[in-house]
Amino acid sequence: MHPLAEKRKPGRDYVRLDVTRLASGAELRLGLHVVTGAKAGPTLGILATVHGDETMGLMAVRRLLQELDVKTLSGRVAAIPVANPLAVSVFNRQTPEQHGKTDLHEVFPGHPEGNLTQRMASVITTHLLDHVHALVDIHCGGLGGRLQSRADLDAAASADVFEGSLKLCRAFNTTFVHANNLAGTAARYCNARGVPTANPEIGGVYLGPQAEAAYIEEAVAGLRSIMAAIGMIAAAPLPPKKQLLFKVASRYEVNPSVGGFLQSHFTAPSDLGRRVEKGTKLGEIVDLHSLEVTEELRASVTGYLFFSRYSGTVDAGTKAFALAEEATSTWL
Ligand SMILES: [Zn+2]
């Protein structure tokens, strides 16, 4: 029985969805929370930890669920805090399994007879995605200390769905909105069914207590604002702020071409959203063995910094910094 397919009394439910039995003998299950409000309204789906090293969002989901008042809630919130438990358990982005297609963010709607990643996607699809009127899939900077503050929507969505998704992203209220290519994601699957989506990329892991607390606060406020925007709680959405909308073609990453220690010059949450002139030094790479600076990372365009990495060991191609080009992005 799908927990969302039946009408439930107002209140809180927690069920565990069976996926399969693992070689270790452990049962692979996904936890699903359903908070059913006393009033009629839409079903908001929430996914967190689709990438196993992006665990900040699930603490925001916990706070959101705890603070909901069933008596005044219109509709339902259905949340899977850990979408990929196997990836979380090894604090890695993808599922540790032998077969291909191990990134849960690329395999939706999944397959009930596929590999572990595809099976988890299939369970999420049939038990959550097929029952929601809006979806939020929360991501953040993962392993290796990256700061994020944006909400993504799928550039390939139909005009109506794009508008609906933009409304959710605007309500979430991050500085940036990224019209991204979300092929294979839960968002694209939902969009094809006419369901709008927002994929926040907010905060990161091991950022230190102050930054982490601030980002969790911001994520909870953003989620509540989305709920307000679609009429689920009797509150006003956050006052719309100036947001920069940019497409994939306006996205300029600046990544190292050699491995080493990245000395980052942009490590404060307030650095995100900063206007950076072309040529500005963002950081440098120190070779771990010769201890010499081997590369300087400089802004390739004039634009706004939308992610940045803390200082630490990186390899060639590690995502370090990204700019939304000023000339081709749009202020909303
Ligand atoms: Zn992610």
Side-chain angles (χ1 to χ4, degrees):
M1 187 65 198
H2 302 163
L4 292 171
E6 58 189 58
K7 212 169 160 59
R8 298 205 177 198
K9 287 199 189 106
R12 294 167 187 271
D13 290 290
Y14 173 61
V15 293
R16 302 194 69 198
L17 308 169
D18 289 317
V19 181
T20 187
R21 180 173 301 148
L22 298 170
S24 65
E27 299 291 336
L28 177 59
R29 297 193 180 103
L30 306 179
L32 169 68
H33 295 262
V34 183
V35 182
T36 306
K39 302 177 196 171
T43 298
L44 172 66
I46 299 177
L47 277 179
T49 339
V50 165
H51 289 136
D53 58 339
E54 300 175 4
T55 47
M56 195 206 83
L58 64 90
M59 299 317 285
V61 172
R62 178 172 186 259
R63 275 262 305 279
L64 178 82
L65 296 182
Q66 279 176 340
E67 289 171 9
L68 285 179
D69 180 355
V70 169
K71 291 193 289 297
T72 57
L73 175 67
S74 301
R76 302 183 293 191
V77 177
I80 295 178
V82 181
N84 189 343
L86 298 172
V88 167
S89 67
V90 291
F91 194 53
N92 209 337
R93 183 177 176 87
Q94 290 168 229
T95 322
E97 62 174 325
Q98 291 175 21
H99 307 285
K101 298 187 185 302
T102 59
D103 185 344
L104 182 58
H105 207 37
E106 295 178 357
V107 303
F108 280 94
H111 198 287
E113 290 159 13
N115 69 356
L116 291 171
T117 309
Q118 291 169 309
R119 284 171 194 249
M120 289 186 281
S122 174
V123 168
I124 292 167
T125 299
T126 53
H127 290 276
L128 181 71
L129 306 185
D130 284 346
H131 306 277
V132 302
H133 302 104
L135 178 79
V136 180
D137 179 359
I138 307 180
H139 293 248
C140 67
L143 195 67
R146 199 149 53 102
L147 296 173
Q148 298 267 15
S149 180
R150 64 174 212 260
D152 285 12
L153 70 172
D154 194 357
S158 68
D160 280 8
V161 174
F162 188 90
E163 276 310 306
S165 296
L166 188 58
K167 180 180 157 186
L168 301 182
C169 290
R170 295 223 64 187
F172 194 79
N173 221 27
T174 38
T175 307
F176 296 97
V177 177
H178 188 11
N180 204 346
N181 173 8
L182 298 182
T185 64
R188 178 157 299 177
Y189 175 80
C190 286
N191 288 174
R193 301 178 69 246
V195 171
T197 58
N199 280 29
E201 287 272 7
I202 179 148
V205 293
Y206 297 121
L207 301 182
Q210 263 184 330
E212 193 165 284
Y215 276 124
I216 289 176
E217 196 75 37
E218 197 182 327
V220 174
L223 289 168
R224 287 188 63 83
S225 180
I226 284 178
M227 292 181 67
I230 58 175
M232 298 182 74
I233 53 174
L238 293 168
K241 74 174 164 203
K242 217 175 141 195
Q243 290 174 303
L244 192 71
L245 175 65
F246 67 99
K247 297 181 182 151
V248 173
S250 305
R251 173 183 175 131
Y252 286 82
E253 293 186 7
V254 182
N255 302 326
S257 66
V258 289
F261 190 92
L262 167 66
Q263 286 186 313
S264 175
H265 299 190
F266 292 84
T267 57
S270 58
D271 285 336
L272 295 187
R274 263 174 68 174
R275 186 176 180 279
V276 174
E277 293 275 353
K278 181 177 179 176
T280 303
K281 202 205 282 188
L282 304 172
E284 62 257 331
I285 303 295
V286 176
D287 186 88
L288 298 175
H289 311 277
S290 73
L291 306 178
E292 311 233 311
V293 172
T294 48
E295 187 168 48
E296 290 183 344
L297 299 179
R298 292 183 179 274
S300 48
V301 293
T302 295
Y304 297 86
L305 194 67
F306 73 88
F307 71 60
S308 75
R309 185 173 288 278
Y310 279 10
S311 297
T313 304
V314 294
D315 224 319
T318 296
K319 287 182 187 297
F321 305 98
L323 296 155
E325 187 187 30
E326 183 172 50
T328 55
S329 301
T330 315
W331 286 104
L332 298 174

